[in-house]
Amino acid sequence: MPSSPELPLKLLLVEDSAMDAELVALTLEENGVPFTCDIVDSLSTYQQCVKEHDYDAVLADYRLPGFTAYEALAALQSAGRDVPLILVTGSLGEEAAVDCIKAGMTDYVMKDRLFRLPMVLRRSLQEYALRRQKLAADQRLRQQTRQVAIMNQVLRKMRETLVLDDLMQSTMDLLHRVLDVDICALLMQEDVAQQSKLQTVIARCVSQPTPERDRLLGRKFECGFQRHYGDRLLQGQSIVLSTIPIDSPVDILSISQSWNIQSTLIVPMLYQQTYLGSIALHQCQRQRDWSREEVDLVEAIAGQFALAIHQAQLFEQVQQQAQREQFLNQLGQTLNSSLDLDFILQELVRLAGEYFGVDRVVLLRHEAEWIVPQTEWRASDAVIPSLDLPLPMHEWQDFFRPDGDYLTQKVWHAPVFLEDPWVQKIPSARLRGQRKHIQSMLSTPILVRGQHYGELSLDCTQTRRTFTTDEIQLVQRLADATAIALFNAQSYERLEKLVQERTQELEQEKRISEAANRAKSEFLTHMSHELRTPLTGILGFADVLSRQLHGPLSSLQRQYVEGIRSCGDHLLDLINDLLDLSKIEAGREELFFEPVLVQEVCDACMSMVQETAQKRGLRLILDIAQDVTVCTADKRRLKQILSNLLANAVKFTDEGSVTLKVWQQAKALHFAVIDTGIGIAPSDQSRLFQAFQQLNGGLNRKYEGTGLGLVLSSKLARLHGGQITVSSELGKGSCFTVILPEKIPPLSPSP
């Protein structure tokens, strides 16, 4: 109870006697109780006073003319006044006193014991003060409990979903219901990067019970509370207005009048000093004093919301990055999957349309006088096709200037297509927008090796859309990939054409070569037969002369006849080699394979060169392994091969030996002719098996021959399914090895 005159009690005395009222007042004054009081003696006056005034206590008699203390208590409670009511009465039994206390009266004092009144008044006021404190504490506890419950609901929703829109909607609906407001909206900053001053926010989410919710949802606010209180919001300070000040800026008064806003609470959402948006609560039907607990609740939710928005943005970025990587992987797979240009381009526009979620993607190609749609993708059949509308090139000359914005920045972004300046200037662009229902468009050029091929255009036909910087960069990468596909396809077409032309040339050359080979073979065969006829006569006459059937010859004549015979034999061998070679090249040589005694063949070949070797003073050595007895071969041709090799070895060996060595190895029979002759330089070994080749002029002058022996031997070895190898060292000798398989494969004659 106040103890100084500066804080007097305000009392209401309900007495029908002025004398009794004076006694009560005098008692209080004598006991140092400062007070002011109103005195009433009727029920109507009493009811009016408790409704219009606040009192610290009511002192009432038990029974008054026209009403009782019970009616006084009822009127006090009906007015919502939580103050003590003390009975000051002349007579009151114990039973009546108990009933009064039970009914809600605070205490009672008998008039003959008024000295107790100050004490009873002090005690009653202290009890009510304690009770009010307890009620306030209980109220705060209930509010805290409710706040914790609301926060738990919000946190549980955050744990249940990363879908930001669902979280926003459920939280706005919860706040609307719990705080009993008329409008509950979540306002998001349009451009988070622009933090210096708040200009534009968007109503991202509005509670379901909000009147005219559809009118408010998605609306941009470029003025009003955000602009006027922007600096405070950016600093994290809440805007708490119980009333809208009449001196507020015109835009605030305008929006308040438009929505009938009486009171407002705007709480900012900040994450690491970055303003993300705010939660706006408006009371429209009445004015409202926002309690500290309500402000704390909304601020706590705003803090959690800022964290949730940041996490959702991170999650969205991760998802976008994953989708981006998947898109790029699909793009790479598409480029590497085929060389069919039409298929690749169709896949590229399909991937672009599905990834960016547009209605139509068109690839345009520049021709001499027209810009022609080459291929397109549409989200559904309801989207109008655009392949039937070419654009005249002469209307676009300024747009496609090399130093113009389009080719330097490599992008044309028209969020509102028909209002774009270029669309206003170019009739065919405006016509395309109208006929093809283009609301928004993003186009980027396709440059193939620096040459402007065409455009890749993404069209939105149902709604307007503003593409982000990341999306624009990704579309430009897609255009680069399209350029790569076009370049590869063009290169492949050029290469394919060159290969086709070269193949035709090679086929023509092959036909000419085959015709020449046939002509050569036919000529050699014909000439060989023609040469053998006179040669046979020459050899016959030489034989007659050498036998001296028609008279004796002088020694000089016999020498000449022997020379004629020797030259004729050499010429006959040459003709036979030519015939054999031409038959092999013509594919008419047939071998007769049979079991052959290796010893017999080798002895016959060695005997053929024995006389020449003896004349040159050379040793002939035959070395046949013991496990070698029989081989499968054409006996005559095997002799021819070994004889040629032995004859060459003897011819090119001045001293030493010539060896024929035979052994079995790896299911093949090896015949090696080894000499100690002049040897062969490595650079000359590649020409050994070419027809009519001798290694140098010096050899050509010293050693006679045509160079057909090794060629013929090599071809005969291949007809056996084998080969001839050579190893040689200049000045030390050579080794020619004939390798024949145990089983002769059915080989076709090689040319």
Side-chain angles (χ1 to χ4, degrees), residues 327-344:
F327 171 72
L328 294 176
N329 288 335
Q330 291 177 336
L331 184 61
Q333 292 174 2
T334 299
L335 292 176
N336 296 324
S337 63
S338 173
L339 288 173
D340 185 346
L341 181 60
D342 292 336
F343 170 78
I344 291 177

Side-chain angles (χ1 to χ4, degrees), residues 317-334:
Q317 291 174 1
V318 171
Q319 280 191 318
Q320 290 176 350
Q321 184 64 27
Q323 293 172 354
R324 182 189 181 105
E325 294 299 326
Q326 182 181 6
F327 171 72
L328 294 176
N329 288 335
Q330 291 177 336
L331 184 61
Q333 292 174 2
T334 299

Side-chain angles (χ1 to χ4, degrees), residues 701-724:
R701 288 189 298 270
K702 184 176 181 180
Y703 303 102
E704 64 179 12
T706 61
L708 291 178
L710 286 179
V711 179
L712 184 58
S713 298
S714 176
K715 291 182 179 294
L716 290 174
R718 286 201 295 270
L719 288 176
H720 279 77
Q723 62 178 333
I724 297 178

Side-chain angles (χ1 to χ4, degrees), residues 235-306:
Q235 294 173 7
Q237 300 177 17
S238 299
I239 310 302
V240 184
L241 300 176
S242 298
T243 60
I244 306 301
I246 59 175
D247 59 347
S248 297
V250 175
D251 50 4
I252 290 183
L253 295 176
S254 175
I255 196 171
S256 298
Q257 183 178 3
S258 175
W259 293 91
N260 194 30
I261 297 174
Q262 303 292 318
S263 304
T264 189
L265 171 61
I266 302 176
V267 178
M269 297 182 298
L270 274 73
Y271 180 81
Q272 294 183 351
Q273 307 305 315
T274 299
Y275 178 82
L276 303 177
S278 59
I279 297 175
L281 306 177
H282 302 298
Q283 204 73 49
C284 302
Q285 303 301 322
R286 59 182 174 85
Q287 291 186 350
R288 175 171 183 166
D289 290 326
W290 305 96
S291 68
R292 182 68 255 174
E293 290 77 9
E294 291 171 336
V295 175
D296 290 343
L297 172 62
V298 181
E299 288 180 345
I301 291 177
Q304 292 297 321
F305 237 65

